[in-house]
Amino acid sequence: MTFNVTTSEYAYNDVENGMFNGVSLHDTTNSAVKSNKAIGFQLNGIRIGDSSDNNTVATNRAENNVMAGLAAMNNSTGNTIQGNHMDGNAPDCFDDTTGTKTAMTANFWINDFGFTENKPGLCKHATP
């Protein structure tokens, strides 16, 4: 979990079976979350929240989390979410922001793979 961080990197971690989120950003900007694996959490696998803006979240895996595999929460904008793989989450891809980016969100979702999503267009292979 990161709070009030600017220009940092959280990479190459495997986290499993926790009570909260696997990886969680809070008021984090211009940072990278890449190549992590989050499996079996009671909340989200990876969560971008609380005004976390302009981050790159790429090439992560999120599997079998109770909530979203990857969740971009309201008030988090300008994030690039790219090449992540999600499976077995509820849903795999979730974004509750509003804007002019991918699927009318405030974030860029590029080549992310998952089977379920809360807005059409976030993940490849998802069914509407």
Side-chain angles (χ1 to χ4, degrees):
M1 197 176 301
T2 60
F3 294 91
N4 268 340
V5 176
T6 302
T7 316
S8 67
E9 181 177 272
Y10 186 82
Y12 304 103
N13 297 286
D14 289 346
V15 291
E16 292 186 38
N17 303 322
M19 295 301 297
F20 301 104
N21 299 300
V23 175
S24 193
L25 302 180
H26 301 273
D27 296 313
T28 301
T29 58
N30 300 317
S31 294
V33 174
K34 65 179 188 176
S35 302
N36 298 289
K37 188 186 299 183
I39 299 173
F41 283 86
Q42 294 300 305
L43 298 178
N44 303 290
I46 299 169
R47 182 179 182 272
I48 307 166
D50 306 324
S51 300
S52 291
D53 303 322
N54 303 313
N55 298 291
T56 299
V57 179
T59 63
N60 298 286
R61 294 189 73 81
E63 300 172 357
N64 302 320
N65 298 289
V66 173
M67 296 177 68
L70 199 155
M73 306 308 291
N74 199 19
N75 297 325
S76 292
T77 64
N79 295 292
T80 300
I81 302 163
Q82 183 171 8
N84 299 285
H85 291 256
M86 286 73 64
D87 188 22
N89 308 285
D92 290 328
C93 304
F94 179 89
D95 193 323
D96 73 351
T97 66
T98 303
T100 60
K101 312 292 188 282
T102 306
M104 301 307 292
T105 69
N107 299 295
F108 298 98
W109 289 74
I110 305 164
N111 294 324
D112 294 287
F113 296 89
F115 297 96
T116 56
E117 56 192 9
N118 75 314
K119 294 181 180 177
L122 297 180
C123 280
K124 308 281 183 195
H125 305 296
T127 55

